[in-house]
């Protein structure tokens, strides 16, 4: 064990250094806050890229694994409960950590329209980054839970203080629903601790395997408890993803939260749901997952069609994107329900790809709002005339959203659908209708914004400036890279996915 | 070595695209056009070389891992593909050249050339791919280029709406193709066309599955090739610049559906039902669109319906086992229809962007050269020997006849009559008589005239590619397959009948629109309802609007209500419950020791009862 094993910790906690630096800055020096806010995200980005480049693609299990005993709780009989601080990275977490660092840096750059209380804002933003990376880098459920809660609380404040008009209600709704989810998560965690005496991912996996192997010999209560834990986990992550009908909190958040927070929220926070499904659903409870696969496929179908149909009738751009997120999370459910190599890869691809695409689109909408002061579709139009660069990038973003081949959205969508076609061709075929609806709402958003005759009042709008367009181009480049060369994202996750698939069995 | 050279064919346009899109500010208009033309000329030279060399080229590189399956980016250029590459490169190069004249005054000509180059790249790649997934990928990319170019004049609401319609309607078809690919992967074990062929021919797939796959793929082809009932987008697509209509919506992309069916012909052959479907959809579309073409007044719309109709002919041929006939017509049609569109574009430019043929006329006198080449195109599409359309249409009707589909044969003959009539209606209205609208006092620029002349020459002579007794194309296309095994001998009366029918159509058109001895208003007055029906394109758009668009919107609004009040109400309920529990909790903690004691006693009793009651109940 060498210093290199502290890498996940470095990635996770470096933003805290920025929080500390910001503490000592005077309150009114907004420029300095921005500078340090952005700078503090860079080390994590750097280390995450280092991890990506040095990731051992053939290694099974967690890399750069680090575990120390944190605290113990003595119990009446037997060994005391030991809680570890343990972190590590595998094929599931690596892509999401890289995604998180990229989106965080870009969100920090995109925060240029946050004008009040910037000191506190950047501190919270950096704290949020630590929380998010921690969720993915944690190697036991306890640590996962703590980081999960950090993101929740911090996001609550970010929405509640820096959001738009309905921010207070949105923040409350956000906290309420997610708090409910955390309750289920807490229950599952405690139950697992009581049953297995450890919350380490590796211990949980091996003991689950043992228990499932001799389930017939064990008392029936064990199976019931396992089901209860599994369902609690499913509900917790369903709220996070969100799965119909738990989605209403997320719509408000998307509309009311400040642009950078929505970028993070839609880009990364929702993906914690997908990650949870993969890590604890498919990874830990493959047998139970198989039992409810049909249900997940149907929920996915509902998400896809419901989100898309509602996106078609929205009159406001951010709501279109919010409902489109619901639809796209349905695709993740499709991939999960397939429980095969193609579908699970689709889940991971969709998590990363949708993260990039929605970060790009919400950034674009934020920049547009700063100029037009409206996101109502009926009031927009013809922006291609005065903002050609904006319109060009928006075009690419929308094309990625509707799954144009050559861009990342296609690969993820395709893999998820392909996976489901093996087991549930009928559900998948009905779900393919979503591909049509997606085109309808995505084009509607595009054409109502940048096409058509221009309104007189938009004739003199400034096009994007460099510190807006450069981050966007980074996102576009990544979207194209994954679309054209998917193995750049797929190769690191291959071994981990193979392992999961082999555990699911035939 | 050869494969590497062939790979350059799509590479040139994609380089041109990147140069133009990122350097659009750096290039002047002339430079942009030069980049586009140079790139497509290079591709044209290579395509010709590949065609002349005539050796099948294969190339493969791994791309994506799915479980233990490796999906490859694979290329196979056989006879059909070589022919397609040649067609695409010729038309694309000429359209690039022509566009410099047509789009000279547009500020965004650099972007226009970028999109054209991207389209050319995608179309080449679509043809070269030998893997269903990659065909689908480029299938979508040509679609998006079509969308971008239809909506190139983004500020025009009609262009915007047409672009959306094109994308959405073709996407409906694409979903069929998409499902077919996914099913093929799980049943054939790979996306490779050759693997699918092996599985189909070895009989491992059930007939039902083969039919399902073929039908789903044909749904994709229906969308792309504007076949009934997904034809509605193609006439609207005429809102795009005319060079685009010539390249994408006449010669190449819309023929991709026909190409797809031809490329997967083994699959269709294995399913009689699919063949029937292809033939009947094609035949119906051929006559359906031809009748609409009779009553339209926009010069480009007439040509668009004619394209739909001709694509229907190609499908009819393929469905009637006329593999060569279908591909042959694709080949000749690409040239004469591109010619007609480019000619129409020249007319439109001359008449300062007037597109209504009722306001045209007299161009034969002032622009004789344009008139002659346009006439060549009209004679070709009408099927008059020795123009190219005669040979290919003759083969289509022959294969329909030999296949024993007499009903479709009759339909084909009637459609041929309509074709001749509406094309010469157009010709006479534009070129004969006196000017009825804007005056054409300028000349057609040379950059526009050269492509017209070259395409004109192709239209006149390309029919000899498969003329008797050589049948070069048949020999060429039958390399390595047995699609052409069942050819019979043509009855002598067949070409005579076709030509007679066409001549009658031309003659009638002359009487109504050339000499104007007869008046069309009388016809309209005798069957006013029918005329209205045809003029309004059988109200298909309106039907779709009420049958699909409005219900979908209605469902959307209904669900939106549900979302706000039912699902949103659920959220309120949750919030309320949380608050309620909180309030009870805070009321209990009121500091009165007696209450606390009471609660503890009740709790204790409940606990005892709970622990002991079970035993008594057992």
């Amino acid at each position: 064990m060498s210093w290199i094993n502290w890498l996940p910790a470095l990635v996770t906690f470096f933003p805290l250094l920025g929080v500390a630096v910001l503490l000592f800055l005077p309150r009114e020096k907004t420029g300095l806050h921005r500078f340090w806010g952005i700078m503090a995200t860079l080390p994590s980005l750097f280390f995450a890229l280092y991890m990506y480049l040095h990731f051992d693609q053939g290694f099974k299990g967690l890399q750069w694994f680090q575990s120390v005993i944190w605290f113990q709780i003595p119990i009446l009989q037997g060994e005391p409960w030991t809680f570890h601080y343990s972190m590590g990275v595998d094929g599931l977490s690596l892509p999401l950590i890289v995604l998180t660092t990229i989106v965080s840096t870009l969100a920090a750059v995109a925060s240029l329209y946050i004008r009040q209380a910037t000191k506190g804002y950047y501190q919270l933003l950096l704290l949020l980054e630590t929380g998010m990376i921690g969720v993915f880098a944690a190697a036991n459920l306890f640590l996962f839970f703590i980081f999960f809660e950090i993101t929740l609380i911090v996001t609550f404040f970010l929405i509640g203080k820096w959001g738009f008009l309905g921010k207070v209600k949105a923040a409350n709704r956000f906290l309420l629903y997610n708090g409910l989810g955390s309750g289920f998560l807490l229950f599952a965690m405690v139950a697992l601790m009581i049953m297995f005496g450890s919350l380490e991912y590796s211990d949980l996996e091996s003991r689950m395997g043992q228990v499932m192997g001799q389930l017939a010999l064990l008392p029936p209560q064990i199976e019931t408890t396992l089901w209860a834990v599994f369902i609690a986990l499913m509900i917790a992550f369903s709220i996070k993803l969100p799965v119909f009908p738990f989605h209403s909190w997320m719509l408000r958040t998307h509309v009311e939260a400040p642009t950078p927070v929505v970028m993070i929220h839609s880009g990364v926070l929702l993906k914690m749901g997908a990650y949870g499904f993969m890590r604890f659903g498919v990874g830990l409870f493959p047998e139970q997952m198989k039992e409810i696969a049909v249900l997940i496929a149907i929920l996915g179908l509902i998400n896809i069609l419901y989100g898309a149909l509602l996106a078609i009738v929205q009159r406001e751009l951010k709501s279109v994107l919010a409902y489109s997120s619901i639809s796209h999370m349905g695709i993740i459910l499709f991939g999960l329900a397939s429980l095969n190599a193609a579908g699970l890869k689709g889940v991971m691809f969709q998590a990363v790809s949708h993260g990039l695409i929605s970060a790009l689109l919400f950034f674009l909408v934020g920049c547009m709002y700063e100029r037009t002061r409206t996101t109502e579709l009926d009031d927009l139009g013809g922006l291609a005339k005065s903002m050609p660069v904006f319109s060009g990038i928006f075009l690419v973003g929308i094309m990625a959203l509707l799954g144009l081949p050559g861009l990342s959205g296609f690969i993820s969508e395709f893999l998820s659908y392909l996976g489901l076609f093996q087991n549930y061709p009928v559900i998948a075929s009905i779900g393919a209708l979503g591909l049509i609806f997606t085109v309808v709402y995505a084009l509607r958003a595009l054409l109502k914004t940048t096409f058509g005759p221009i309104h007189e009042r938009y004739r003199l709008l400034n096009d994007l400036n460099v510190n807006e367009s450069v981050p966007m181009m980074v996102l576009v480049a990544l979207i194209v890279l994954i679309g054209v060369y998917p193995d750049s994202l797929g190769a690191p996750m291959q071994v981990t996915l193979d392992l999961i698939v082999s555990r699911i069995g035939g | 070595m050869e494969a590497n050279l062939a790979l350059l064919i799509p590479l040139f346009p994609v380089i041109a695209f990147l140069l133009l899109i990122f350097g659009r500010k750096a290039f002047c208009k002339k430079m942009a056009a030069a980049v586009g033309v140079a790139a497509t000329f290079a591709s044209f030279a290579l395509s010709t070389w590949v065609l002349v060399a005539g050796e099948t080229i294969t190339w493969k590189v791994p791309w994506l891992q799915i479980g233990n399956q490796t999906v490859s980016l694979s290329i196979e250029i056989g006879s059909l593909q070589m022919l397609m590459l040649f067609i695409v490169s010729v038309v694309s190069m000429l359209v690039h050249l022509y566009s410099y004249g047509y789009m000279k005054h547009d500020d965004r000509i650099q972007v226009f050339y970028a999109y054209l180059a991207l389209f050319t790249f995608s179309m080449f790649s679509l043809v070269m791919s030998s893997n269903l997934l990659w065909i689908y990928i480029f299938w979508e990319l040509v679609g998006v280029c079509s969308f971008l170019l239809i909506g190139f004049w983004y500020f025009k609401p009609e262009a915007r709406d047409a672009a959306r319609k094109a994308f959405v309607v073709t996407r409906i078809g694409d979903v069929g193709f998409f499902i077919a690919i996914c099913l093929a992967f799980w049943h054939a074990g790979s996306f490779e066309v050759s693997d699918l062929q092996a599985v189909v021919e070895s009989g491992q797939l059930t007939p039902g599955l083969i039919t399902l796959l073929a039908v789903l793929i044909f749904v994709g082809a229906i969308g792309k090739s504007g076949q009934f009932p997904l034809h509605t987008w193609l006439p609207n697509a005429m809102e795009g610049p005319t060079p685009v209509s010539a390249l994408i919506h006449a010669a190449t992309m819309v023929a991709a559906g026909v190409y797809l069916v031809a490329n997967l012909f083994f699959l269709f052959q294995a399913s009689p039902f699919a063949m029937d479907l292809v033939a009947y959809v094609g035949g119906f579309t051929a006559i359906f669109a031809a009748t609409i073409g009779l009553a339209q007044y926009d010069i480009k719309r007439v040509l668009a319906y004619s394209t739909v109709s001709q694509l229907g002919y190609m499908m009819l041929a393929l469905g009637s086992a006329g593999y060569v006939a279908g591909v042959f017509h694709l080949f000749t049609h690409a040239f004469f229809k591109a010619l007609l569109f480019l000619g129409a574009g020249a007319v439109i430019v001359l008449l300062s962007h007037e597109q209504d043929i009722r306001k045209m006329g007299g161009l034969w006198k002032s622009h004789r050269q344009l008139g002659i080449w346009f006439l060549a195109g009209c004679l070709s599409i009408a099927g008059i020997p020795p123009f190219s359309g005669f040979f290919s249409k003759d083969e289509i009707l022959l294969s329909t006849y030999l296949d024993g589909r007499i009903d479709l044969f009759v339909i084909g003959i009637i459609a041929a009559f309509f074709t001749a009539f509406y094309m010469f209606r157009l010709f006479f209205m534009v070129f004969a008589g006196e000017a009825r609208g804007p005056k054409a006092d300028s000349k057609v620029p040379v950059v526009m005239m050269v492509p017209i002349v070259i395409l004109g020459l192709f239209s006149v002579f390309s029919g000899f590619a498969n003329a008797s007794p050589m049948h070069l194309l048949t020999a060429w296309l039958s390399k390595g397959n047995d699609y052409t095994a069942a050819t019979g001998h043509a009855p002598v009366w067949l070409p005579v009948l076709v030509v007679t029918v066409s001549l009658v159509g031309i003659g009638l058109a002359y009487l109504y629109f050339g000499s104007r001895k007869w008046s069309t208003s009388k016809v309209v007055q005798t069957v006013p309802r029918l005329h209205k029906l045809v003029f309004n394109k059988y109200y298909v758009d309106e039907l779709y609007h009420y049958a699909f668009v409005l219900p979908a919107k209605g469902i959307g609004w209904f669900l939106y209500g549900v979302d706000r009040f039912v699902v949103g109400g659920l959220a309120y309920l949750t919030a309320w419950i949380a608050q309620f529990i909180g309030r009870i909790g805070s009321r209990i903690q009121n500091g009165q020791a007696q209450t606390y004691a009471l609660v503890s006693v009740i709790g204790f009793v409940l606990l005892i009862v709970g622990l002991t009651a079970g035993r008594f109940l057992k």
Side-chain angles (χ1 to χ4, degrees), chain A residues 475-491:
Chain A
L475 285 170
V476 168
L478 289 169
I479 290 169
V480 174
L481 175 72
I482 297 174
V484 174
Y485 183 59
D487 264 357
S488 59
L489 174 62

Side-chain angles (χ1 to χ4, degrees), chain A residues 364-365 368 383 387-395 449-450 463-464:
Chain A
L364 281 160
V365 174
M368 187 198 78
L383 294 184
M387 301 170 67
V389 176
F390 164 83
S391 304
I393 301 177
F394 193 51
L395 175 73
T449 312
T450 59
D463 206 345
L464 299 179

Side-chain angles (χ1 to χ4, degrees), chain A residues 359-385:
Chain A
L360 174 65
L361 285 172
F362 276 108
F363 191 15
L364 281 160
V365 174
C367 292
M368 187 198 78
Y369 178 79
E370 286 303 320
R371 293 167 171 80
T372 59
R373 308 311 297 180
T374 181
T375 50
E376 292 291 327
L377 285 174
D378 288 339
D379 296 343
L380 294 165
L383 294 184
K385 187 98 196 154

